[in-house]
Amino acid sequence: MDSDAVAEIQMSSARIPSEAALNESYRPGYTRLCPVDVPRLVDVARAALRLDPSTIPTGLRILAAVVFNKVFFMQFGSIAVIARVPFNTPAAHDPVRLRSQIATLDFLSIHKPTVPVPKVLAASPDSQSPPCAPYVIAEFCKGTPLTIQEWYRDMSAASRDRAIDLLADMWVKITAPLPFKAIGSIIRRTVDPHSAMSRMGGAAESPAFHIMPMIPQFPKKWTELVDPSAETRAGPRSIAEHWAARMKEQRDDIVATFPDEDHSVLVCDNVGSKHTLGKLWQCVRAMQELTDIAVSLDPLAHAPAMALMHADYSCWRNILFSPDRARIEGVIDWDDAIVVPRDLAALYPEELTHHTRGWRVDPPDVFAIPPGTLYEDEGLWETAIEETKQRRMFRKAVGRRDPQLAELYTDRRARLRRRVDILLRDGWYAWLSRNDWVLGQGLEEARALAS
C-alpha cells in the first residue's frame, strides 16, 4: 500500500491505522516500532492545532525512519505537521536529551528568527504521555533536500554556486555570537523566569534558557542516560574546563578497561587496527600536551564569543530548499546542536568535505592530481580539487557577511583547536587511529604555534 492509498483511507474513514500498518505503507517489510499509539498521537496534533476533535486527517504516513527517530507526517486539509517519535532505546528516550532538543528549537524560534526551523507545537519527553511514547510535534517545512545526484550531476555550475552562497549565508546566521557565557547544551531554566536571580542573569543569558554541561553528541544504543541533575548545573565557562573534563573521562575509561596496566596488551582503535597499551598511554600524554597548548591559542581571547553549532549541516539531509533551489526553506535535525567557542564553529557543509583525505572537519586543499595516481583514482582527486574551489567560494561568501568568522576558517590556531576538540569528543579510540598526527605532526605544529 503506498502513501496515497493511506491518504485515501484517512479521507473516507475515521479509523486511524496502527503504526504497524503505516510501516507497511512506508516500506514493504519494514517492521521496526517505536512503539506509539498513532490515534492518540493524532489527537495530540489536533489539540495542538486547535482543531475540532472530529477532524479527520486527510493524510497520514511515515515520512522517514532513521537511527533514533521515526517521523510521522499528518495533514489536516491545508495544514501539515510532523511528529518525531524516538525508538525504544535508552539514548533515544533520554528525557534530558529530549528536553534539550525541544529547548534548542524553542530558543532558535525566539532568538534566531531568520533561521527557518520548524516551530514546536506540542512536545513531551515522557514515555507515559498519552501516545505512550515521547514525541515532538512541529510545523512541517515544505522544502526538500538536494539529492547527491542533483548536486554532482544535475545542477548547473551557477545553481550550485548559488546553493553554496545560500549555505554560507545560513551558517553565518546560525553561528552569530550568542549571549551565553558557557559551553554545552541548551536547556530551559527551571527557576521562575520572573525572579530576581533570573533578571540579573538576563543581561548575559536569555531569561528562559541556560547552558547545561554538554550532552554527549552522536549517541550510540549503549550511551548512558544523562544525569537529571545536569539540567540545573551550568556548563563550563572555559574551554580549558571543558577539555579537562573530557581528558579525565578518557583516562578513567582507560584505567577501568585495562586495570592490569600491562603495557604490552593489544588494544584496538576505532578502525580495527591493533596497538599496545603502551602506545595508548603515549597518546594520552601527547593529547594532554596538545590540549594545554590549544587552550592558550584562542584566536578570540581578546573578544570571547560563543556560537550555536548545528552538528550535521548537510543539504543532502538537513537543509531544505525551495523547489527552484533559490531559497532555504528549513533547517532541521538539531538533536546534537551545542554552544561552543566560536572558532570551533568555523565548519563547512558536509557536501564540501565529502571527498577528503585526512581531516573531515578541516580538509587539506587539493589543487592538482599527484603524480603517479592510478587512473581509477583520478576521479576522486578531481572531486577533491572541485571541493577545494567550493570551500574557497564558501569562505568568501561567509567573509562578505562576517569577516571575523571567515578568518577563523584559515587561522592555524583555530584549526588546531578544532582538531583537538574533535579528538576529545571521539575519545581514545580515535587517538590511537590518528596516532601519527597525535604523536607527530599535531604535536609539532602545536609546539611551533606556541613558540
Side-chain angles (χ1 to χ4, degrees), residues 349-371:
E350 181 181 320
E351 291 71 24
L352 309 191
T353 64
H354 195 253
H355 287 286
T356 60
R357 299 170 190 272
W359 292 92
R360 185 73 172 269
V361 63
D362 273 301
D365 289 339
V366 178
F367 299 102
I369 299 175

Side-chain angles (χ1 to χ4, degrees), residues 204-383:
E205 298 189 358
S206 165
F209 306 92
H210 79 105
I211 302 300
M212 62 176 282
M214 189 179 294
I215 296 172
Q217 293 181 290
F218 313 115
K220 305 293 189 295
K221 291 180 180 179
W222 55 84
T223 301
E224 294 181 358
L225 298 181
V226 179
D227 185 339
S229 68
E231 289 186 76
T232 60
R233 302 200 306 268
R237 296 179 70 87
S238 71
I239 198 68
E241 183 183 347
H242 174 60
W243 284 346
R246 287 293 176 89
M247 284 297 303
K248 184 179 185 304
E249 288 174 4
Q250 295 306 309
R251 280 200 182 91
D252 291 348
D253 186 54
I254 294 169
V255 170
T257 306
F258 307 102
D260 294 338
E261 299 185 14
D262 181 352
H263 282 208
S264 66
V265 167
L266 293 181
V267 180
C268 284
D269 61 23
N270 56 3
V271 294
S273 299
K274 293 183 178 180
H275 313 263
T276 65
L277 182 60
K279 171 66 74 69
L280 174 55
W281 280 111
Q282 277 185 285
C283 290
V284 172
R285 291 189 290 272
M287 279 299 302
Q288 185 62 65
E289 184 176 352
L290 279 165
T291 301
D292 293 341
I293 293 174
V295 164
S296 69
L297 297 177
D298 187 354
L300 298 178
H302 62 289
M306 294 290 177
L308 179 64
M309 188 173 75
H310 189 293
D312 191 11
Y313 194 64
S314 167
C315 59
W316 295 341
R317 291 188 297 276
N318 301 322
I319 313 300
L320 307 180
F321 286 80
S322 59
D324 61 2
R325 304 322 200 196
R327 302 181 309 281
I328 290 179
E329 298 281 11
V331 184
I332 59 174
D333 193 9
W334 291 87
D335 293 10
D336 295 303
I338 51 176
V339 173
V340 293
R342 203 169 186 231
D343 62 302
L344 302 185
L347 305 177
Y348 298 98
E350 181 181 320
E351 291 71 24
L352 309 191
T353 64
H354 195 253
H355 287 286
T356 60
R357 299 170 190 272
W359 292 92
R360 185 73 172 269
V361 63
D362 273 301
D365 289 339
V366 178
F367 299 102
I369 299 175
T373 297
L374 296 176
Y375 174 78
E376 55 266 30
D377 293 334
E378 288 184 358
L380 292 177
W381 283 104
E382 288 169 353
T383 301

Side-chain angles (χ1 to χ4, degrees), residues 54-129:
S54 63
T55 304
I56 299 172
T58 54
L60 177 59
R61 60 190 172 93
I62 295 171
L63 189 64
V66 289
V67 177
F68 283 102
N69 298 283
K70 186 178 286 185
V71 181
F72 296 84
F73 173 84
M74 291 179 272
Q75 188 157 12
F76 301 88
S78 61
I79 305 172
V81 299
I82 59 104
R84 292 186 66 196
V85 182
F87 288 114
N88 195 20
T89 57
H93 265 242
D94 189 334
V96 177
R97 188 180 293 274
L98 291 168
R99 279 193 285 270
S100 179
Q101 294 168 15
I102 296 163
T104 300
L105 287 171
D106 288 342
F107 175 85
L108 284 160
S109 65
I110 296 169
H111 296 282
K112 289 185 179 285
T114 59
V115 177
V117 298
K119 181 180 179 181
V120 175
L121 304 175
S124 172
D126 185 357
S127 60
Q128 301 305 312
S129 56

